[in-house]
Amino acid sequence: MFKDNGYERVEFDRQSDVYVINTCTVTNTGDKKSRQVIRRAVRKNPDAVICVTGCYAQTSPGEIMEIPGVDVIVGTQNRKKMIDYIEEHQQTREPINGVSNIMKNRVFEEMDVPEFTDRTRASLKIQEGCNNFCTFCIIPWSRGLLRSRDPENVINQAQNLVDAGFKEIVLTGIHTAGYGEDMNDYNFAKLLQELETKVDGLKRIRISSIEASQITDEVIDVLDKSEKIVRHLHIPLQAGSDSVLNRMRRKYSTAFYKQKIAKIRQALPGLAITSDVIVGFPGETEEEFMETFHFVKEIGYSELHVFPFSRRTGTPAARMQDQVDDDIKHERVNRMIELSNQLAKEYASHYEEEVLEVIPEDHVKEAGEHTLEGYTDNYLKVRFTGSKELIGKIVRVKITRSGYPYNEGTFVRVMDDTANGKIEVPS
Ligand code: SF4
């Protein structure tokens, strides 16, 4: 939008006429860091327009308005009005608070993102908001209730991204696979099917996250038949103990989760499953922690994101008794990370000597060697020798040494139709 209105984007450490600070509120630290960045922008150029947006702006506009130097606040909706507000402020020099009640919003705010600085993977947001209200999470208050993007717009945006050169699209959202729950005759499985068949030239579809409850038989069937949806799903667990899940107000039991995983593995053997786990939730006993530990081991994830429970003001969990001591929390986090590393190595070891498709994302030149780094469809990070021209292309790589955080491989050939598989590794 700024580009279309004649603005030029500069790095944050340069002087600017307008600063837009996109804030986070998922933890109390997110708020604090956001405030620090706002103050830094004000100091950099006290005459500039300081516009604060994002989740912290949505939940605490009053708190932000009190920071001297803040001129415009826009939350997580009506972002299209941002430039008008900024220009209005330039005329009137009056503060503008453009935040309104997000809970009343039932319509997805259409905003196309035609390009990304990351050249290989494009994110495509398909829905907004969440109706779950887990006890540790502030997100429904900052993003509002679940609403889905119009399927036609999703397909058009996907086509535009592919036409701009992206091979892989990551479907994102707050409760991504809740897509369609606010529609009548349409759902997430149908959207996946349409993306596969209607977007010309799309090679890979990745789902950023899917809740166990949303892995319906219809979704499993689509995944099974698909040639584009990657062999990787991120299925948040948060806890592998029923009593903790209950206190978190998550909408599944360990038995339900396990049964879903079994079903999906039957259809898609070799699938990489990653997850999020929160350690040290209020009242978590050593026994409950060990229940989660054993559950994680039993599922056999290919990687975990482990978070120590963070007390987010305004959520029920922040007010719960029996908060876990920081030392205990961190000791448990370390044990869980160690387990995750072990599981990741184990998963990767199954692919040693196999030839996999990688889309290189980064290129480094070390001691005269050109090294590329990218991900396989099943989300193994692979490093191999190859030239910069291969970035963003689909290439076949043989895994010579598996490991974690990355695997080593050797280049086999390019899969791109454009290159006819003829690019060779530079010596
Ligand atoms: S489902 Fe996810 S976004 Fe929704 S409340 Fe729970 S943790 Fe937050």
Side-chain angles (χ1 to χ4, degrees):
M1 278 187 340
F2 279 94
K3 205 170 164 187
D4 290 346
N5 279 277
Y7 287 81
E8 184 202 343
R9 182 177 179 231
V10 295
E11 290 304 316
F12 187 67
D13 54 7
R14 290 212 1 230
Q15 273 250 332
S16 180
D17 303 317
V18 177
Y19 288 86
V20 178
I21 295 124
N22 191 13
T23 57
C24 172
T25 199
V26 75
T27 59
N28 288 351
T29 315
D31 289 2
K32 195 171 144 201
K33 284 191 182 160
S34 301
R35 284 193 298 271
Q36 285 168 350
V37 177
I38 296 166
R39 289 201 189 95
R40 229 187 311 150
V42 175
R43 276 197 305 272
K44 261 181 209 303
N45 182 4
D47 295 330
V49 182
I50 307 291
C51 171
V52 183
T53 183
C55 290
Y56 179 40
Q58 181 64 47
T59 53
S60 313
E63 213 169 283
I64 295 173
M65 261 308 175
E66 278 174 18
I67 303 174
V70 171
D71 302 309
V72 177
I73 306 189
V74 180
T76 54
Q77 59 189 340
N78 296 331
R79 288 160 298 182
K80 283 188 177 153
K81 292 190 185 155
M82 191 182 284
I83 295 178
D84 288 345
Y85 287 151
I86 288 169
E87 292 178 354
E88 188 185 322
H89 175 82
Q90 277 165 332
Q91 302 296 322
T92 64
R93 304 315 286 182
E94 291 293 326
I96 297 173
N97 179 355
V99 178
S100 55
N101 186 352
I102 192 87
M103 287 303 174
K104 290 195 175 149
N105 199 333
R106 294 285 190 279
V107 183
F108 183 92
E109 186 178 27
E110 270 303 325
M111 289 182 95
D112 276 0
V113 183
E115 52 184 291
F116 289 85
T117 34
D118 175 337
R119 288 197 291 160
T120 50
R121 269 189 278 172
S123 304
L124 173 50
K125 187 167 162 179
I126 60 168
Q127 68 80 232
E128 176 67 280
C130 175
N131 299 348
N132 267 23
F133 295 91
C134 301
T135 54
F136 53 84
C137 183
I138 196 79
I139 286 174
W141 301 105
S142 61
R143 297 297 185 98
L145 301 175
L146 187 139
R147 47 214 191 268
S148 307
R149 189 172 191 176
D150 181 70
E152 210 173 299
N153 292 338
V154 175
I155 305 294
N156 288 343
Q157 166 90 68
Q159 189 64 62
N160 289 344
L161 291 167
V162 172
D163 294 345
F166 292 100
K167 302 267 182 289
E168 178 172 327
I169 286 181
V170 186
L171 304 178
T172 68
I174 296 299
H175 208 66
T176 313
Y179 182 89
E181 280 174 17
D182 53 342
M183 293 173 171
N184 280 334
D185 300 316
Y186 204 80
N187 59 22
F188 186 55
K190 291 203 172 70
L191 180 76
L192 289 174
Q193 242 168 356
E194 291 211 304
L195 280 165
E196 174 124 10
T197 50
K198 291 193 173 165
V199 182
D200 238 16
L202 176 59
K203 302 277 191 230
R204 274 189 190 177
I205 304 169
R206 197 178 290 279
I207 304 161
S208 66
S209 177
I210 184 164
E211 291 285 334
S213 57
Q214 287 155 343
I215 307 173
T216 58
D217 289 350
E218 200 183 346
V219 168
I220 295 179
D221 191 49
V222 172
L223 296 177
D224 191 17
K225 293 192 178 121
S226 169
E227 289 179 355
K228 295 182 181 170
I229 304 170
V230 297
R231 290 178 296 166
H232 166 226
L233 288 181
H234 185 82
I235 312 171
L237 174 67
Q238 310 305 6
S241 151
D242 285 322
S243 42
V244 177
L245 284 175
N246 216 1
R247 294 204 293 281
M248 289 178 163
R249 218 189 286 141
R250 298 286 295 171
K251 300 218 160 123
Y252 50 84
S253 63
T254 49
F256 176 87
Y257 187 100
K258 201 155 85 181
Q259 176 235 327
K260 281 286 174 191
I261 301 282
K263 211 163 182 184
I264 196 158
R265 280 215 166 115
Q266 208 176 14
L268 304 159
L271 179 83
I273 301 175
T274 56
S275 197
D276 299 324
V277 170
I278 296 176
V279 170
F281 189 78
E284 185 190 72
T285 60
E286 176 62 21
E287 289 70 39
E288 285 173 330
F289 170 73
M290 285 313 290
E291 277 172 31
T292 298
F293 189 90
H294 292 307
F295 191 79
V296 163
K297 207 166 169 179
E298 192 184 338
I299 297 288
Y301 294 100
S302 66
E303 196 180 9
L304 279 187
H305 298 160
V306 184
F307 302 92
F309 168 73
S310 166
R311 219 169 159 174
R312 169 65 254 195
T313 312
T315 60
R319 295 189 295 272
M320 284 179 186
Q321 303 298 312
D322 304 330
Q323 296 287 327
V324 176
D325 223 56
D326 276 353
D327 291 348
I328 298 179
K329 239 188 255 178
H330 288 117
E331 184 263 335
R332 288 181 189 163
V333 163
N334 290 340
R335 273 148 74 194
M336 194 61 86
I337 289 177
E338 210 171 293
L339 173 63
S340 166
N341 292 349
Q342 252 178 44
L343 294 175
K345 277 185 200 151
E346 206 174 301
Y347 178 80
S349 72
H350 298 304
Y351 294 90
E352 208 161 271
E353 297 301 309
E354 287 216 12
V355 175
L356 301 174
E357 287 179 9
V358 177
I359 303 183
E361 296 180 6
D362 287 320
H363 173 267
V364 270
K365 195 177 169 194
E366 268 174 356
E369 284 258 292
H370 295 265
T371 305
L372 293 174
E373 209 173 78
Y375 287 91
T376 62
D377 70 322
N378 57 343
Y379 217 56
L380 293 173
K381 196 186 227 182
V382 182
R383 279 189 187 166
F384 63 99
T385 304
S387 71
K388 225 166 50 200
E389 287 67 45
L390 296 175
I391 289 182
K393 297 194 154 66
I394 298 183
V395 297
R396 306 203 89 188
V397 176
K398 183 171 181 181
I399 308 296
T400 49
R401 210 165 104 190
S402 68
Y404 183 78
Y406 64 88
N407 302 271
E408 286 168 29
T410 49
F411 171 85
V412 179
R413 70 186 175 90
V414 179
M415 291 296 290
D416 261 15
D417 343 314
T418 44
N420 291 327
K422 288 214 174 95
I423 292 186
E424 297 299 331
V425 194
S427 54

